[in-house]
């Protein structure tokens, strides 16, 4: 799946709808950016925007929005309840999918450098992007706010990371950086505000003070009463859900509630949540209850039910899980894999060099893994084979995963070929040689990856041959032969492309690895066929 970064810029305007809309338009008009939410506050005179995109697009979106703010917001006239220091007050970049924190740090630095150069404003780095402890937290940098900024910028220790150490009255200064995805999460307590706050003090990291810290890291929380719901809540912010997950918070709050003889009536997520956080919760309950669930939609449903996320209002995954709100269009990103079987086969047989053997090999291997998984499903859950359920629980996940992981390589192989042809067409010179080398290695690594993924199937397939439902014997045989054929075909693509590679060390190591995988595939296929042939039942 494509890389996805979230950007949550806070602009110092929450009352003038024309300015709010102009900033929204700047984000929407940026190619590759999807604006998810606009949350203005009149009392704070501040609007929080939430949009997502790939690393390059997200930076462009933030720059375009800030340029509009620079033109339209006048900080000399700004008043509001929320602390602030600039027209764009803070602009965090947050990893959502297939993106590291380091990449988001790079996004913030690129944004800071470019916007300071283009409009000449001071930019400070914070959180993960900052390397100085005294100016790492937002509250440290923003201390004194806009009104104290002019004097602050005169101090050497408050020299901006980007841009001039100069006070610009109409704009002020901005803070940018990278942080983890913040999840606003409330656990519903059938009790009083005081009881909910008591639980909050137990679980939040700060606890009751330095001498009595709470149990959970990266968690902030208080207790309050919500008249609208007629119940109390432990209201919390999860600053790093990978360390302290939603499910952990729910279980710990529930534990304390039970000790106080209080009822728990589910929970609620305020705003958006990453799919990963929901799947982490699902995996926890699957392990806890010894369930067997592979399908992602069922995992999401389990998490929603166990956490009681629809207790206050309906939790619609398509509108609340950020990954689903910006789901890539597979017809665009994976056009070959999205075709009908007839269409793909006819395209293979047409007068065009791609898709070719590499894409076909990926498809054949995916079908092989799929037939292996099918044999497992034809065994699992049947009363006749109930004694084999634990074995099928072990064998099905890796086969299902390999099947799904191989499908994108149908398009990836064709894309790699097209990129190589494009590199060959660039003007002669050093840059052309670099481009060709990079594209050629990619055209080698793609089919090699097809081989690697396929190779993970042999161990479960060998065991499947021993225990799988014999009514699916021929399906398993076809599946294993398909997998071996897919590996052989990918191997042919690797070796033919290695002939043009001038990196001797790369050629040697890749050849060795590819040959070992091919040998294992050929030997494993024979073992599977022998096992099935010797089985009598």
């Amino acid at each position: 799946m494509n890389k996805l970064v979230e950007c949550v810029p806070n602009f110092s305007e929450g009352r003038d709808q024309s300015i709010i809309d102009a900033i929204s338009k700047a984000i929407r008009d940026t190619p590759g950016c999807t604006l998810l939410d606009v949350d203005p506050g009149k009392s704070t005179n501040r609007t929080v925007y939430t949009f997502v995109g790939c690393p390059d697009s997200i930076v462009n979106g933030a720059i375009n929005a800030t340029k509009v703010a620079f033109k339209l917001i006048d900080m000399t006239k700004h008043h509001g309840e929320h602390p602030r220091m600039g027209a764009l007050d803070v602009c965090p970049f947050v990893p959502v999918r297939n993106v590291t924190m380091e990449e988001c740090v790079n996004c913030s630095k690129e944004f800071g450098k470019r916007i300071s150069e283009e409009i000449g404003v001071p930019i400070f780095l914070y959180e993960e992007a900052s390397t100085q402890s005294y100016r790492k937290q937002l509250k440290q940098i923003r201390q004194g706010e806009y009104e104290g900024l002019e004097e602050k910028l005169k101090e050497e220790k408050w020299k901006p990371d980007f841009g001039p150490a100069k006070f610009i009255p109409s704009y002020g200064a901005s803070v940018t950086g990278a942080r983890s995805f913040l999840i606003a999460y409330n656990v519903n307590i059938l009790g009083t505000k005081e009881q909910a706050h008591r639980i909050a003090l137990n679980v939040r990291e700060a606890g009751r003070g330095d001498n009595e810290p709470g149990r959970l890291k990266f968690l902030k929380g208080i207790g309050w009463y919500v008249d609208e719901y007629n119940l109390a809540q432990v209201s919390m912010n999860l600053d790093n859900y990978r360390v302290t997950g939603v499910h952990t918070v729910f279980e710990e709050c529930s534990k304390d509630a039970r000790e106080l003889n209080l009822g728990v009536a589910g929970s609620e997520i305020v705003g958006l949540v990453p799919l990963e956080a929901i799947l982490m919760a699902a995996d926890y309950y699957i392990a806890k209850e010894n369930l067997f669930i592979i399908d992602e939609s069922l995992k999401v449903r389990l998490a929603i039910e166990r956490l009681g996320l629809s207790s206050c209002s309906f939790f619609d995954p398509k509108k609340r899980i950020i990954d689903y709100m910006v789901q890539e269009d597979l017809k665009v990103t994976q056009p070959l894999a999205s075709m009908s079987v007839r269409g793909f086969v006819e395209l293979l047989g047409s007068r065009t060099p791609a898709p070719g053997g590499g894409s076909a090999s990926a498809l054949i291997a995916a079908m092989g893994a799929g037939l292996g998984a099918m044999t497992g499903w034809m065994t699992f859950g049947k009363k006749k084979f109930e004694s084999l359920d634990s074995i099928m629980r072990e064998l099905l996940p890796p086969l299902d995963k390999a099947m799904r992981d191989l499908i994108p390589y149908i398009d990836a192989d064709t894309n790699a070929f097209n990129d190589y042809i494009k590199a060959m067409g660039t003007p002669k010179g050093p840059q052309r040689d670099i481009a060709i080398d990079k594209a050629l290695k990619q055209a080698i690594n793609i089919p090699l990856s097809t081989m690697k993924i396929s190779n993970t199937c042999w161990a479960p397939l060998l065991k499947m041959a021993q225990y799988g439902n014999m009514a699916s014997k021929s399906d398993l045989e076809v599946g294993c032969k398909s997998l071996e054929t897919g590996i052989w075909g990918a191997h042919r693509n690797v070796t033919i492309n290695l002939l043009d590679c001038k990196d001797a060390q790369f050629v040697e190591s890749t050849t060795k690895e590819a040959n070992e995988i091919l040998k294992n595939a050929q030997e494993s296929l024979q073992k599977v066929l022998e096992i099935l042939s010797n089985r009598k039942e």
Side-chain angles (χ1 to χ4, degrees):
M1 299 179 80
N2 292 338
K3 294 181 177 182
L4 193 67
V5 179
E6 179 191 52
C7 185
V8 193
N10 291 221
F11 288 96
S12 297
E13 178 55 67
R15 298 167 185 167
D16 190 326
Q17 193 61 46
S18 66
I19 296 177
I20 295 170
D21 291 343
I23 294 173
S24 297
K25 186 177 186 302
I27 296 170
R28 285 197 187 95
D29 289 349
T30 303
C33 288
T34 302
L35 182 61
L36 299 178
D37 188 54
V38 180
D39 185 15
K42 290 187 177 180
S43 62
T44 58
N45 199 10
R46 181 183 187 86
T47 298
V48 180
Y49 297 79
T50 303
F51 66 101
V52 292
C54 68
D56 289 339
S57 297
I58 207 80
V59 172
N60 291 334
I63 288 172
N64 292 339
T66 305
K67 285 181 177 179
V68 172
F70 180 76
K71 293 178 181 178
L72 301 181
I73 296 176
D74 184 356
M75 288 302 293
T76 64
K77 301 176 182 177
H78 184 274
H79 297 283
E81 295 179 7
H82 200 287
R84 78 283 183 265
M85 63 186 290
L88 166 65
D89 188 46
V90 61
C91 183
F93 293 87
V94 182
V96 175
R97 183 179 68 208
N98 293 339
V99 176
T100 64
M101 183 63 74
E102 183 180 0
E103 288 176 286
C104 287
V105 167
N106 291 337
C107 285
S108 67
K109 289 181 177 180
E110 183 184 350
F111 166 74
K113 181 177 184 297
R114 285 176 55 188
I115 197 66
S116 65
E117 291 173 350
E118 292 183 32
I119 62 176
V121 296
I123 304 290
F124 294 90
L125 296 174
Y126 85 125
E127 290 290 349
E128 297 295 331
S130 175
T131 57
Q132 302 176 82
S133 60
Y134 75 91
R135 51 193 279 178
K136 197 170 184 71
Q137 297 178 21
L138 180 59
K139 65 180 181 181
Q140 294 172 318
I141 301 171
R142 199 161 56 189
Q143 187 173 13
E145 296 188 42
Y146 169 79
E147 286 75 14
L149 184 61
E150 185 173 8
E151 291 301 315
K152 193 171 189 174
L153 287 170
K154 295 176 182 179
E155 300 180 44
E156 180 60 29
K157 72 174 186 176
W158 288 110
K159 179 182 178 182
D161 292 284
F162 300 102
K166 176 183 176 183
F167 180 59
I168 302 167
S170 63
Y171 183 89
S174 300
V175 183
T176 186
R179 61 166 172 78
S180 297
F181 197 104
L182 186 150
I183 300 175
Y185 181 60
N186 303 328
V187 175
N188 304 323
I189 304 296
L190 303 180
T192 66
K193 168 187 173 181
E194 290 74 20
Q195 289 170 320
H197 190 63
R198 182 174 169 183
I199 295 172
L201 295 176
N202 292 340
V203 297
R204 71 184 189 185
E205 184 173 17
R208 291 172 169 80
D210 294 340
N211 297 325
E212 197 175 348
R215 298 197 299 269
L216 301 179
K217 297 292 184 182
F218 299 103
L219 183 71
K220 300 180 178 72
I222 60 171
W224 61 25
Y225 197 87
V226 183
D227 292 328
E228 180 185 353
Y229 300 153
N230 192 29
L231 49 74
Q233 287 185 326
V234 184
S235 180
M236 295 160 286
N237 282 341
L238 283 69
D239 291 337
N240 190 335
Y241 69 84
R242 292 188 176 98
V243 176
T244 298
V246 174
H247 56 283
T248 302
V249 175
F250 182 75
E251 291 297 319
E252 289 297 309
C253 288
S254 298
K255 170 179 166 289
D256 285 14
R258 285 194 296 272
E259 292 175 358
L260 293 172
N261 297 315
L262 299 173
V264 175
S267 62
E268 70 170 341
I269 288 174
V270 180
L272 305 178
V273 62
L275 174 62
E276 182 185 30
I278 296 295
L279 294 180
M280 284 172 60
D283 289 341
Y284 167 81
Y285 289 108
I286 287 170
K288 180 182 179 181
E289 301 172 29
N290 194 29
L291 306 176
F292 183 60
I293 302 173
I294 294 178
D295 185 86
E296 182 177 286
S297 65
L298 296 182
K299 286 187 175 185
V300 170
R301 184 170 181 177
L302 176 72
I304 293 171
E305 292 298 323
R306 292 295 183 270
L307 297 171
L309 293 179
S310 290
S311 56
C312 296
S313 60
F314 177 63
F315 185 93
D316 184 346
K318 293 180 180 179
K319 296 180 180 178
R320 303 297 300 282
I321 296 177
I322 191 169
D323 304 62
Y324 293 163
M325 293 184 69
V326 290
Q327 209 158 25
E328 59 188 21
D329 185 350
L330 293 180
K331 290 183 179 179
V332 175
T333 59
Q334 297 180 31
L336 297 177
S338 301
M339 295 178 73
S340 67
V341 174
R342 180 185 298 277
F344 181 74
V345 172
E346 289 178 348
L347 184 60
L348 273 178
S350 66
R351 192 180 177 123
T352 176
S359 292
S361 296
L363 174 58
I364 293 168
M367 291 193 297
L371 283 167
M374 170 193 158
T375 304
W377 287 118
M378 291 297 101
T379 309
F380 178 75
K382 294 183 181 290
K383 188 170 180 61
K384 179 181 178 181
F385 304 113
E386 197 169 357
S387 62
L388 300 175
D389 276 7
S390 62
I391 295 176
M392 293 304 116
R393 286 182 177 220
E394 170 197 341
L395 304 183
L396 273 165
L399 293 172
D400 180 85
K401 183 178 187 301
M403 174 189 71
R404 297 179 189 280
D405 288 350
L406 282 166
I407 292 172
Y409 282 87
I410 299 169
D411 285 276
D413 194 273
T414 294
N415 293 339
F417 173 81
N418 291 334
D419 289 345
Y420 177 66
I421 296 300
K422 183 179 178 180
M424 291 287 289
T426 56
K428 289 185 177 181
Q431 292 304 314
R432 179 178 185 270
D433 294 338
I434 293 172
I436 289 175
D437 181 68
K438 180 181 178 182
L440 181 59
K441 286 181 177 177
Q442 180 73 345
I444 293 167
N445 285 327
I446 291 296
L448 182 64
S449 294
T450 296
M451 295 182 71
K452 289 179 181 178
I453 296 169
S454 302
N455 199 42
T456 65
C457 295
W458 290 117
L461 284 173
L462 283 163
K463 200 166 183 179
M464 188 70 75
Q466 291 178 285
Y467 297 102
N469 185 347
M470 281 297 281
S472 298
K473 176 183 176 181
S474 62
D475 301 304
L476 186 57
E477 289 173 327
V478 172
C480 291
K481 182 60 180 176
S482 297
L483 189 73
E484 187 258 358
T485 301
I487 290 174
W488 182 87
H491 181 271
R492 296 305 303 149
N493 275 264
V494 169
T495 54
I496 198 167
N497 287 328
L498 281 173
L499 295 176
D500 294 323
C501 186
K502 298 177 182 177
D503 185 337
Q505 186 175 354
F506 177 81
V507 171
E508 182 182 356
S509 62
T510 303
T511 300
K512 182 175 182 293
E513 184 176 16
N515 288 342
E516 287 175 353
I517 294 174
L518 177 61
K519 182 182 178 183
N520 182 60
Q522 293 169 335
E523 292 175 350
S524 297
L525 172 63
Q526 292 307 311
K527 289 178 183 177
V528 168
L529 296 178
E530 287 174 13
I531 292 170
L532 289 172
S533 178
N534 292 329
R535 280 184 64 180
K536 302 302 180 184
E537 73 275 24

